[in-house]
Amino acid sequence: MEKKEKESPKKDSAQNVSSIPYYNFFIVLVVLMLLNALVVPHISNKKIINTDYGTFVKKIDNGDVKQVKIDEGKIYYSALDENKEEKTYQTGAVDDPDLVNRLLAARSPNENGKIEFTQTIPQQSSPFISFLLFWVLPGVIFFWIFRSGSKMIQERMGGGDNVMSFGKSNAKIYAESEVKTTFADVAGQDEAKEALAEIVDFLHNPQKYASIGASLPKGALLVGPPGTGKTLIARAVAGEAKVPFFAMSGSEFVQMFVGVGAAKVRDLFKQAKEKAPCIIFIDEIDAIGKKRDSRFGGNDEREQTLNQLLTEMDGFDGKTGVVILAATNRPESLDNALMRPGRFDRRIQMELPDLEGRKAILNVHLQKVKHQNIDLDLVARATAGTSGAELANIVNEAALRAVRLGKEYVTTVDLEESVEVVIAGAQKKGKVISDEEKKIIAYHEIGHAMVAAKQKNSAPVHKITIIPRTSGALGYTMQVDAGEQNLMSRDELLNRIATLTGGRAAEEIICNTVTTGASNDIEQATKLARAMITRYGMSEEFDMMALETVNNAYLGGDSTLACSAETSASIDREVLKMIKDGHEKALQIIRDNIDKMHELTDYLLKKETITGEEFMGILNN
Ligand code: ADP
Ligand code: ZN
Ligand code: MG
């Protein structure tokens, strides 16, 4: 059985945080340089020759000087040089009381024989203007550039908020008419709805609760695997209560600058209090609500934000009419302070839907597409373990398939095919497989089905196919439980392991070969056997001892061994023994039914896909 591991639906990918636009600082530099050039008195671009005061006096005495301009600390003068050409000179002004007499007395090449001389009136530039020019203007320019720069950073980081205005938050405010979602859109999840109905009632008539003196929980935390409808049900609460809905994701609070997230929290609660009664919804709260610990150095920004959230939740009483909902799929990572009474004291569990739940969810989503004669029960049974989001996706894939085939309605076949697409990927038509390989694949799949069929307590075979899939599966055998299964017995699990080894067993006995085609089976069988021993207490040696703890139960559930190295080694031996027993059993079943194996494989090779009924028909006649 080649069965793809289910992938959790991808969440929106993280926004790219771009680098700070450094070019802004170049702009600042250029502006400052321009400013400098404007303010510093600029002499015309005529070439000015530097001379000392002695030369200046000598030139006056020689009668070569035509014009003198006495400036602050400097004297500019024009005079003839040795070649009788007029040049402009400058020299430092020396405190020379005789200068004026000397100039008046001197000869000059001018027409009237006198030197023209002027003194500029010392311009005491107004202190106010220079203050403006030198201090305020650069400041304003800096501010403006920083502002636009940080705005740009903010926009690239996904927030429209401005770093400089710490008082604003960008919580989307949904007017009551905007939330159209109601509890009717959320199928199944009756317990969650029941718990939330009380909140809706409270928001409708708070005085009923106030008159008794009851105050409602301030917050409810929705926990569960991805895609179980946490976000959906939070919106439904707002839709039912017809109150404003402030929705923000935890990650929106986590900012680059320490304190910004906390400011956002403050602002969010301020706005909410003004709009009460209303609902605040913080999605994926684990982004800010992670346990505070010093082991990894901590994260100032996140912790400040969390502290602010805790403070705000304490800051209003339960009669204000602000209800805080939050959602997470990592409840174990949340800080304990968030969960204590008075904060998120109500925990609402959203589980993967059961058979009835899956039917209901499929039904809700089928209402949105044209459909005919759907065998809901069959599809729901074939989708054990899928989340609401995946079911929604399956219905949509089915509708797309119907369009592709030019049909007017979605039928059961479309749904079945899209279930397979979700589980095993799309059909890979172009893949070239030699006849020899096809035969091995067919025996492998019939091997699985045969072992499953010949054991009691194993799920009936629903479908066998040797059409390759994009996930890499070259064929697979689909088993569908008759009803809902809540408990698995030891025997059932052992049967499953035997069934998983059935493919390889058929290769060995009939084709005299072993192939890589069993890699996925091996992985699954090992995982199962290990879980039976370390977690389900199903081995004699370890009895009911817990040897593994599971982390992140809602997100794939990776586990950590909690035992000594010796124990770990004997776990491995026990796992191996369990798999070997299953393998032996499978080999025996195939040997005993070798004729039927050939007959069924021929049939499968001819048809490529066969149903469980066809399979059982041939097996039992
Ligand atoms: P979560 O927040 O738990 O990860 P969402 O609320 O975002 O999951 O669910 C994603 C989508 O899956 C929803 O928009 C809806 O279409 C579908 N869905 C999930 N659970 C349900 C349900 N119980 N009833 C109907 N649709 C559901
Ligand atoms: Zn297999
Ligand atoms: Mg969500």
Side-chain angles (χ1 to χ4, degrees):
M1 178 186 315
E2 314 282 350
K3 207 175 170 213
K4 210 185 86 168
E5 284 277 300
K6 270 198 292 133
E7 268 174 42
S8 53
K10 285 225 169 61
K11 286 267 139 197
D12 44 339
S13 60
Q15 299 264 7
N16 264 347
V17 179
S18 57
S19 57
I20 302 164
Y22 286 108
Y23 54 82
N24 270 329
F25 297 106
F26 287 111
I27 296 177
V28 173
L29 266 176
V30 170
V31 168
L32 283 181
M33 277 155 76
L34 279 176
L35 209 67
N36 212 30
L38 281 176
V39 169
V40 172
H42 202 79
I43 311 302
S44 66
N45 47 8
K46 243 196 268 170
K47 206 173 160 224
I48 299 175
I49 302 160
N50 262 318
T51 61
D52 57 28
Y53 198 74
T55 317
F56 173 52
V57 173
K58 216 167 104 196
K59 280 197 188 285
I60 297 173
D61 291 346
N62 285 349
D64 289 337
V65 177
K66 294 177 82 171
Q67 252 184 334
V68 175
K69 187 175 162 214
I70 302 165
D71 218 334
E72 256 183 297
K74 252 183 198 170
I75 298 171
Y76 300 96
Y77 63 100
S78 62
L80 304 178
D81 66 358
E82 304 86 63
N83 307 326
K84 299 291 166 201
E85 278 175 51
E86 196 180 327
K87 294 264 169 67
T88 308
Y89 301 89
Q90 69 172 18
T91 180
V94 171
D95 190 16
D96 180 0
D98 287 341
L99 180 60
V100 178
N101 290 334
R102 207 189 290 270
L103 289 171
L104 283 173
R107 290 172 293 116
S108 164
N110 285 338
E111 273 152 42
N112 59 2
K114 299 269 177 214
I115 298 174
E116 285 175 28
F117 67 98
T118 55
Q119 173 147 31
T120 50
I121 301 161
Q123 280 224 335
Q124 263 313 326
S125 58
S126 141
F128 176 68
I129 301 235
S130 55
F131 170 75
L132 271 187
L133 226 52
F134 285 98
W135 295 101
V136 179
L137 194 60
V140 168
I141 290 169
F142 257 116
F143 178 81
W144 172 72
I145 286 168
F146 177 59
R147 226 175 104 111
S148 56
S150 52
K151 202 176 219 158
M152 227 179 289
I153 299 170
Q154 280 273 306
E155 271 156 17
R156 283 181 205 180
M157 286 183 357
D161 193 19
N162 188 337
V163 177
M164 296 308 290
S165 55
F166 288 113
K168 274 191 194 151
S169 90
N170 58 355
K172 289 181 215 99
I173 302 172
Y174 292 93
E176 61 189 69
S177 59
E178 280 185 53
V179 184
K180 291 262 162 50
T181 316
T182 63
F183 280 154
D185 296 311
V186 188
Q189 307 292 5
D190 293 328
E191 299 75 19
K193 278 192 223 168
E194 211 168 281
L196 290 167
E198 198 181 11
I199 291 179
V200 173
D201 188 47
F202 171 77
L203 289 169
H204 271 313
N205 32 31
Q207 64 283 0
K208 186 168 102 188
Y209 292 79
S211 67
I212 282 195
S215 53
L216 213 73
K218 281 181 197 167
L221 183 66
L222 301 157
V223 299
T228 43
K230 299 183 292 296
T231 309
L232 185 70
I233 209 167
R235 294 184 60 77
V237 172
E240 290 280 335
K242 297 197 172 33
V243 295
F245 184 60
F246 293 82
M248 271 184 109
S249 166
S251 59
E252 282 174 64
F253 292 109
V254 183
Q255 298 286 327
M256 195 160 66
F257 302 104
V258 173
V260 179
K264 279 193 168 184
V265 172
R266 217 175 303 131
D267 195 61
L268 176 64
F269 278 80
K270 195 167 137 262
Q271 284 189 51
K273 271 181 239 172
E274 284 162 11
K275 291 242 172 180
C278 68
I279 291 172
I280 294 177
F281 176 52
I282 305 174
D283 209 353
E284 317 290 352
I285 195 174
D286 41 297
I288 47 167
K290 255 194 222 117
K291 280 197 178 72
R292 290 164 289 186
D293 71 35
S294 48
R295 256 186 308 162
F296 307 110
N299 176 332
D300 278 346
E301 160 62 1
R302 214 187 56 216
E303 287 183 9
Q304 269 207 29
T305 310
L306 175 57
N307 284 334
Q308 189 65 44
L309 179 63
L310 297 176
T311 317
E312 291 291 347
M313 289 191 78
D314 286 342
F316 61 92
D317 62 74
K319 298 182 185 75
T320 319
V322 180
V323 172
I324 307 158
L325 298 178
T328 179
N329 33 40
R330 304 184 53 196
E332 70 285 335
S333 77
L334 291 185
D335 199 279
N336 288 340
L338 264 180
M339 318 278 245
R340 76 139 167 78
R343 295 198 181 124
F344 290 107
D345 37 16
R346 209 168 265 197
R347 189 173 162 138
I348 294 168
Q349 208 82 28
M350 305 282 285
E351 289 302 338
L352 287 175
D354 57 9
L355 184 62
E356 287 309 313
R358 289 198 298 276
K359 274 192 219 171
I361 293 172
L362 284 169
N363 208 11
V364 163
H365 289 282
L366 276 170
Q367 297 316 312
K368 297 173 197 159
V369 299
K370 278 191 192 167
H371 61 276
Q372 233 174 16
N373 301 331
I374 302 278
D375 186 350
L376 259 193
D377 189 63
L378 173 73
V379 182
R381 279 193 288 117
T383 48
T386 52
S387 68
E390 281 167 306
L391 291 168
N393 187 25
I394 284 170
V395 172
N396 192 50
E397 285 286 337
L400 290 176
R401 183 175 188 267
V403 173
R404 222 168 17 237
L405 299 182
K407 297 201 284 189
E408 278 188 38
Y409 297 97
V410 173
T411 60
T412 310
V413 187
D414 298 318
L415 280 169
E416 278 191 283
E417 177 58 31
S418 69
V419 169
E420 283 173 53
V421 168
V422 169
I423 292 173
Q427 290 187 2
K428 206 169 170 180
K429 299 233 176 60
K431 195 168 177 75
V432 182
I433 296 173
S434 70
D435 286 347
E436 183 59 25
E437 278 179 338
K438 250 213 144 102
K439 216 171 95 186
I440 297 175
I441 296 166
Y443 274 115
H444 179 109
E445 297 308 331
I446 295 290
H448 282 308
M450 179 66 78
V451 176
K454 285 290 170 185
Q455 295 176 117
K456 275 183 238 115
N457 296 331
S458 67
V461 173
H462 176 67
K463 185 173 181 177
I464 309 166
T465 171
I466 51 171
I467 298 172
R469 295 273 164 174
T470 47
S471 67
L474 297 170
Y476 61 87
T477 306
M478 196 170 155
Q479 285 171 274
V480 173
D481 278 305
E484 181 77 352
Q485 188 139 28
N486 298 305
L487 289 173
M488 292 278 271
S489 70
R490 183 166 184 270
D491 281 345
E492 282 166 333
L493 289 170
L494 287 175
N495 283 354
R496 256 192 81 70
I497 293 177
T499 305
L500 284 166
T501 60
R504 168 59 68 82
E507 290 177 21
E508 284 173 285
I509 291 176
I510 299 166
C511 311
N512 282 319
T513 178
V514 288
T515 67
T516 51
S519 61
N520 192 273
D521 302 333
I522 291 169
E523 208 179 302
Q524 284 196 44
T526 311
K527 220 189 229 171
L528 205 56
R530 181 167 280 275
M532 283 174 72
I533 294 160
T534 59
R535 282 160 51 198
Y536 306 142
M538 288 181 177
S539 70
E540 269 156 40
E541 185 172 348
F542 297 110
D543 202 50
M544 282 183 60
M545 182 176 174
L547 299 164
E548 252 181 19
T549 48
V550 177
N551 320 317
N552 270 339
Y554 294 133
L555 297 173
D558 50 334
S559 48
T560 2
L561 268 184
C563 60
S564 70
E566 292 91 77
T567 314
S568 165
S570 47
I571 292 172
D572 290 341
R573 275 192 295 278
E574 197 81 355
V575 169
L576 181 61
K577 184 168 168 291
M578 205 172 254
I579 294 171
K580 270 195 166 159
D581 287 349
H583 196 169
E584 275 309 319
K585 193 169 160 196
L587 286 168
Q588 195 53 51
I589 290 174
I590 297 206
R591 277 193 210 104
D592 293 347
N593 297 281
I594 197 103
D595 294 340
K596 285 287 175 199
M597 284 294 296
H598 292 308
E599 192 183 342
L600 283 160
T601 303
D602 285 344
Y603 187 70
L604 177 61
L605 278 169
K606 210 161 63 213
K607 307 221 14 176
E608 293 210 318
T609 301
I610 62 175
T611 64
E613 285 100 67
E614 286 175 285
F615 175 84
M616 290 315 283
I618 295 175
L619 187 62
N620 290 335
N621 73 22

